[in-house]
Amino acid sequence: MTKRSKEKKKKSFVWIIIYMCVGAVIGGIIGFVTSGNVDLIHNSILNIGKFIETYAFEIYAITNLSIFVITLVLAGIGRKRFIKSVAREDEVYDEDIMSMAMGATGLAMMTSLILLIPAAKVILLNPHRWQTLATLIILFLVVIVSTVLQNRMVEDMKKAYPEKRGDVYDMSFKKDLIASFDEREKSIMHEAGFKAYETTSKLIFGLTIGLLFLSVIMDINLGLVFTLLAIMATVNISYVCYCIKLEKAK
């Protein structure tokens, strides 16, 4: 072991101790603050649940329509700037906003479908039938328009990059599109994928710790915790397996 490696190892050990001490201090402060406010926290969480149940339709409608409007604005501005950039034959096309719009369309569709699950229990049993109808209209509006927007942006991209392939309405769209990427684009995609992996791992870890903490204060379903742990294990195991596979391939 080199001198530099020994020094690096010592510094790593020191930082581990520091992190442990900081974690102990933060945990102690949280425990001290919440120890006398267990009932308050418990009641606050129950009130949040009641609020969501009472205003399920309003939450669903406002959240989805807000994201949908943002998506429309981004798509309109992004497509306009991209088309002008292509017409000017810029060295690097102005496609940042259009890329954000492409991501926003996917977010809009996922949000519309995911929020429908907790909202359905309340909305479908609600005596006001118009709320159920309005919810379905919002769902189909967001999904259909977002899909059409995605297709138009992909077609715009194909005009600027004729080598790009893929059809939004085809189940193999992502596979065909990625296959038409050059090495630079694939490198960017892989680096962005790794950053997404890191962010997701940290988020799942934080949510797991938070749910475990709540389980001490109130009676919650620990199935949520084990689900998050299963997701985190799957993500990490998949990452390691693909790293080994790619290493052997090279």
Side-chain angles (χ1 to χ4, degrees):
M1 185 180 291
T2 63
K3 184 177 180 181
R4 185 177 179 180
S5 298
K6 290 180 179 179
E7 291 178 355
K8 188 175 180 180
K9 189 174 181 180
K10 289 180 180 178
K11 290 180 180 179
S12 299
F13 179 75
V14 172
W15 278 109
I16 290 173
I17 298 298
I18 293 174
Y19 287 145
M20 291 176 65
C21 292
V22 171
V25 172
I26 294 174
I29 293 173
I30 293 174
F32 176 77
V33 171
T34 58
S35 60
N37 300 291
V38 174
D39 291 337
L40 177 62
I41 296 173
H42 182 272
N43 292 332
S44 299
I45 294 173
L46 291 178
N47 289 333
I48 292 173
K50 291 179 181 178
F51 177 82
I52 293 174
E53 288 186 0
T54 304
Y55 299 100
F57 170 74
E58 288 79 1
I59 293 172
Y60 182 84
I62 292 172
T63 302
N64 281 286
L65 292 177
S66 298
I67 297 175
F68 183 60
V69 170
I70 293 172
T71 301
L72 292 177
V73 173
L74 287 175
I77 297 173
R79 289 187 66 214
K80 186 176 181 180
R81 293 180 63 172
F82 180 73
I83 292 171
K84 286 183 177 180
S85 180
V86 173
R88 291 194 304 266
E89 297 184 351
D90 294 340
E91 185 176 350
V92 179
Y93 295 144
D94 187 355
E95 55 186 291
D96 292 348
I97 296 180
M98 194 171 78
S99 297
M100 293 171 60
M102 183 68 77
T105 56
L107 178 62
M109 287 188 285
M110 285 190 296
T111 303
S112 184
L113 292 171
I114 291 173
L115 288 183
L116 182 66
I117 297 172
K121 179 181 177 182
V122 179
I123 294 172
L124 295 177
L125 298 177
N126 196 297
H128 300 291
R129 297 289 182 89
W130 67 268
Q131 290 187 349
T132 302
L133 179 60
T135 300
L136 295 176
I137 291 174
I138 293 172
L139 172 66
F140 286 113
L141 174 68
V142 171
V143 172
I144 292 173
V145 176
S146 295
T147 304
V148 172
L149 278 177
Q150 277 190 349
N151 183 63
R152 289 189 177 181
M153 287 186 282
V154 169
E155 293 302 319
D156 290 337
M157 182 183 66
K158 287 180 182 178
K159 293 177 182 177
Y161 306 102
E163 70 278 6
K164 294 293 185 288
R165 300 190 304 274
D167 187 348
V168 171
Y169 303 121
D170 191 343
M171 294 296 292
S172 62
F173 165 65
K174 288 186 178 180
K175 183 178 180 180
D176 295 337
L177 183 63
I178 293 173
S180 64
F181 283 177
D182 58 28
E183 291 303 319
R184 183 186 68 86
E185 290 170 323
K186 288 182 179 178
S187 176
I188 293 173
M189 181 186 69
H190 292 156
E191 185 174 350
F194 177 72
K195 293 296 182 181
Y197 157 76
E198 282 189 317
T199 303
T200 303
S201 296
K202 291 177 182 178
L203 176 62
I204 293 175
F205 179 76
L207 289 173
T208 303
I209 297 299
L211 287 174
L212 285 173
F213 174 72
L214 285 177
S215 68
V216 177
I217 299 175
M218 60 182 297
D219 184 20
I220 65 172
N221 187 0
L222 290 178
L224 295 173
V225 178
F226 292 117
T227 300
L228 288 174
L229 289 174
I231 294 173
M232 186 162 57
T234 301
V235 169
N236 283 278
I237 292 172
S238 299
Y239 175 76
V240 173
C241 289
Y242 274 104
C243 284
I244 295 172
K245 184 179 179 179
L246 292 171
E247 184 67 26
K248 289 182 177 179
K250 293 183 179 180

Coordinates of all heavy atoms in Angstrom, one line a residue, residues 181 183-199 239 246:
F181 N -28.8 6.4 -31.6 CA -27.9 7.4 -31.0 C -26.5 7.2 -31.4 O -26.1 6.0 -31.6 CB -28.0 7.3 -29.4 CG -29.2 7.9 -28.8 CD1 -29.5 7.8 -27.5 CD2 -30.2 8.5 -29.6 CE1 -30.6 8.4 -26.9 CE2 -31.3 9.1 -29.1 CZ -31.5 9.0 -27.7
E183 N -22.3 7.7 -30.3 CA -21.5 7.4 -29.1 C -21.6 8.6 -28.1 O -21.7 8.3 -26.9 CB -20.0 7.1 -29.5 CG -19.8 5.8 -30.2 CD -20.4 4.6 -29.5 OE1 -20.2 4.6 -28.3 OE2 -21.0 3.8 -30.1
R184 N -21.6 9.8 -28.6 CA -21.6 10.9 -27.6 C -23.0 11.0 -26.9 O -23.0 11.2 -25.7 CB -21.4 12.3 -28.4 CG -21.4 13.5 -27.5 CD -21.4 14.8 -28.4 NE -22.6 15.0 -29.1 CZ -23.7 15.6 -28.6 NH1 -23.7 16.0 -27.3 NH2 -24.8 15.7 -29.3
E185 N -24.0 10.7 -27.7 CA -25.4 10.7 -27.1 C -25.6 9.6 -26.1 O -26.2 9.7 -25.0 CB -26.4 10.7 -28.2 CG -26.5 11.9 -29.0 CD -27.4 11.8 -30.2 OE1 -27.4 10.7 -30.8 OE2 -28.1 12.7 -30.6
K186 N -25.0 8.4 -26.4 CA -25.1 7.3 -25.5 C -24.3 7.5 -24.3 O -24.7 7.2 -23.2 CB -24.6 6.0 -26.2 CG -25.5 5.5 -27.3 CD -25.0 4.2 -28.0 CE -26.0 3.7 -29.0 NZ -25.4 2.5 -29.7
S187 N -23.1 8.2 -24.4 CA -22.3 8.5 -23.2 C -23.1 9.5 -22.3 O -23.1 9.3 -21.1 CB -21.0 9.1 -23.7 OG -20.2 9.5 -22.6
I188 N -23.7 10.5 -22.9 CA -24.5 11.4 -22.1 C -25.7 10.7 -21.4 O -25.9 10.9 -20.2 CB -25.0 12.6 -23.0 CG1 -23.9 13.4 -23.5 CG2 -26.0 13.4 -22.2 CD1 -24.3 14.5 -24.5
M189 N -26.3 9.8 -22.1 CA -27.5 9.1 -21.6 C -27.0 8.2 -20.4 O -27.7 8.1 -19.4 CB -28.1 8.2 -22.7 CG -29.3 7.4 -22.2 SD -29.9 6.3 -23.5 CE -28.5 5.1 -23.5
H190 N -25.9 7.5 -20.6 CA -25.4 6.6 -19.5 C -25.0 7.4 -18.3 O -25.3 7.0 -17.1 CB -24.2 5.8 -20.0 CG -24.6 4.8 -21.1 ND1 -23.7 4.4 -22.0 CD2 -25.8 4.3 -21.4 CE1 -24.3 3.5 -22.8 NE2 -25.6 3.4 -22.4
E191 N -24.3 8.6 -18.5 CA -23.9 9.4 -17.3 C -25.2 10.0 -16.6 O -25.2 10.0 -15.4 CB -23.1 10.6 -17.8 CG -22.5 11.4 -16.7 CD -21.5 12.5 -17.1 OE1 -21.1 12.4 -18.3 OE2 -21.2 13.3 -16.3
A192 N -26.2 10.4 -17.4 CA -27.4 10.9 -16.8 C -28.1 9.8 -16.1 O -28.7 10.0 -15.0 CB -28.3 11.5 -17.9
G193 N -28.1 8.5 -16.6 CA -28.7 7.4 -16.0 C -28.0 7.1 -14.6 O -28.7 6.7 -13.7
F194 N -26.7 7.2 -14.6 CA -26.0 7.0 -13.3 C -26.4 8.0 -12.3 O -26.6 7.7 -11.1 CB -24.5 7.0 -13.5 CG -23.7 6.8 -12.3 CD1 -23.7 5.6 -11.6 CD2 -23.1 7.9 -11.7 CE1 -23.0 5.4 -10.4 CE2 -22.3 7.7 -10.5 CZ -22.3 6.5 -9.9
K195 N -26.5 9.3 -12.7 CA -26.9 10.4 -11.8 C -28.4 10.1 -11.3 O -28.7 10.3 -10.1 CB -26.9 11.7 -12.5 CG -25.5 12.2 -12.8 CD -24.6 12.4 -11.6 CE -23.2 12.9 -11.9 NZ -22.4 13.1 -10.7
A196 N -29.2 9.6 -12.2 CA -30.6 9.3 -11.8 C -30.6 8.1 -10.8 O -31.4 8.1 -9.8 CB -31.4 8.9 -13.0
Y197 N -29.7 7.2 -11.0 CA -29.6 6.0 -10.0 C -29.2 6.5 -8.7 O -29.7 6.1 -7.6 CB -28.6 5.0 -10.6 CG -27.9 4.1 -9.6 CD1 -28.6 3.1 -9.0 CD2 -26.6 4.4 -9.1 CE1 -28.0 2.2 -8.1 CE2 -26.0 3.6 -8.2 CZ -26.8 2.5 -7.7 OH -26.2 1.7 -6.7
E198 N -28.2 7.4 -8.6 CA -27.7 7.9 -7.3 C -28.8 8.7 -6.6 O -29.0 8.5 -5.4 CB -26.5 8.9 -7.5 CG -25.2 8.2 -7.8 CD -24.0 9.1 -7.8 OE1 -24.2 10.2 -8.4 OE2 -23.0 8.8 -7.2
T199 N -29.5 9.5 -7.4 CA -30.6 10.3 -6.7 C -31.7 9.5 -6.2 O -32.2 9.7 -5.1 CB -31.1 11.3 -7.8 OG1 -30.1 12.2 -8.3 CG2 -32.2 12.2 -7.2
Y239 N -27.8 -2.8 -10.8 CA -26.7 -2.0 -11.2 C -25.4 -2.8 -11.1 O -24.6 -2.7 -12.0 CB -26.6 -0.8 -10.2 CG -25.4 0.1 -10.4 CD1 -25.3 1.0 -11.5 CD2 -24.3 0.0 -9.6 CE1 -24.2 1.7 -11.7 CE2 -23.2 0.8 -9.8 CZ -23.1 1.7 -10.8 OH -22.0 2.5 -11.0
L246 N -21.1 -5.8 -18.2 CA -20.4 -4.9 -19.1 C -18.9 -5.1 -19.0 O -18.2 -5.0 -20.1 CB -20.8 -3.5 -18.9 CG -22.3 -3.2 -19.2 CD1 -22.7 -1.8 -18.7 CD2 -22.6 -3.3 -20.7

